[in-house]
Amino acid sequence: GALIVLAIISAYLFGSISSAVLICRLFGLPDPRTSGSNNPGATNVYRLGGKIPAALTLWFDVLKGMVPVWGSYFLGIEPFYLGIIAVAACLGHIFPLYFHFRGGKAVATALGAMFPVAWEMALLLIATWLLVFRVSRVSSLAAIVTVSLAPFYAYWIKPQYTVPVIMISVLIMWRHQSNIVRLRTGQEKRTRRQ
Ligand code: G3P
């Protein structure tokens, strides 16, 4: 009991570290919460600073999902709670305790959380994202299509994780509201090579 509660709280606190904000500070870039799309995530860091800071942001945001779920898995925590721990890491990224609760969209963190328990699914999600991105060059569209398919993939490959995958997909979709409006009005920006 106590171990699970501790793991959930740790996942939230770990997820709360905003890689995008810290890496932009480190590289002397504008604050990603108030520049570009105003989103602290790897896509916006790429817009603001190009490949290297974006890759670092992506990697640290992936780790925020990966580390808590992996750690909990090795501690013998059961699948249901691993799903909750993954949700907690994503909630940390979206509502970060140390950054005035103004976080990102949790695409990278969700992917990281998937790896330790369902790597086949993680690879399929990456393939889906890459395919949509290659065709459209729109990061948000790639994320929206990917999270729409994620529950079906889960039901097919890892049915025990279908419920947490649905929860995370709904969260990510909800965080893409402004992107959905921009996509519908044709104002969403394509990612240009930096
Ligand atoms: O992962 C976030 C991405 O889907 C959209 O980012 O900055 O274009 O709103 P952004």
Side-chain angles (χ1 to χ4, degrees):
L3 183 67
I4 293 171
V5 174
L6 204 66
I8 294 171
I9 294 172
S10 313
Y12 168 74
L13 294 177
F14 196 55
S16 284
I17 305 168
S18 183
S19 322
V21 174
L22 297 176
I23 287 164
C24 281
R25 256 182 227 165
L26 198 68
F27 280 77
L29 297 168
D31 189 323
R33 293 167 298 182
T34 49
S35 306
S37 66
N38 300 330
N39 185 60
T43 301
N44 203 28
V45 173
Y46 184 77
R47 255 179 222 118
L48 300 171
K51 271 192 193 127
I52 291 169
L56 286 171
T57 303
L58 179 65
W59 175 239
F60 283 107
D61 281 347
V62 164
L63 280 184
K64 296 195 305 188
M66 205 182 266
V67 170
V69 175
W70 225 318
S72 306
Y73 175 78
F74 282 122
L75 290 171
I77 291 176
E78 50 188 283
F80 173 79
Y81 292 108
L82 293 179
I84 303 293
I85 288 159
V87 173
C90 292
L91 286 173
H93 178 83
I94 295 172
F95 304 110
L97 182 65
Y98 329 111
F99 296 87
H100 309 286
F101 301 99
R102 278 191 64 183
K105 300 179 185 175
V107 178
T109 302
L111 181 70
M114 206 79 68
F115 255 105
V117 288
W119 62 269
E120 313 89 323
M121 200 174 138
L123 293 183
L124 196 56
L125 293 168
I126 293 173
T128 306
W129 192 96
L130 286 174
L131 183 71
V132 181
F133 184 73
R134 255 198 121 117
V135 173
S136 66
R137 303 282 314 165
V138 180
S139 175
S140 62
L141 184 66
I144 290 164
V145 172
T146 304
V147 301
S148 309
L149 292 171
F152 299 100
Y153 290 169
Y155 186 72
W156 173 38
I157 305 177
K158 290 276 169 183
Q160 67 270 42
Y161 293 116
T162 308
V163 172
V165 167
I166 291 175
M167 288 165 73
I168 293 173
S169 292
V170 168
L171 270 175
I172 294 177
M173 194 66 98
W174 165 70
R175 293 299 280 181
H176 280 80
Q177 282 170 83
S178 58
N179 302 91
I180 292 168
V181 171
R182 286 197 294 270
L183 284 164
R184 294 182 67 158
T185 54
Q187 289 169 312
E188 184 66 316
K189 296 253 188 315
R190 282 172 205 276
T191 298
R192 295 198 298 185
R193 286 188 181 79
Q194 305 279 356

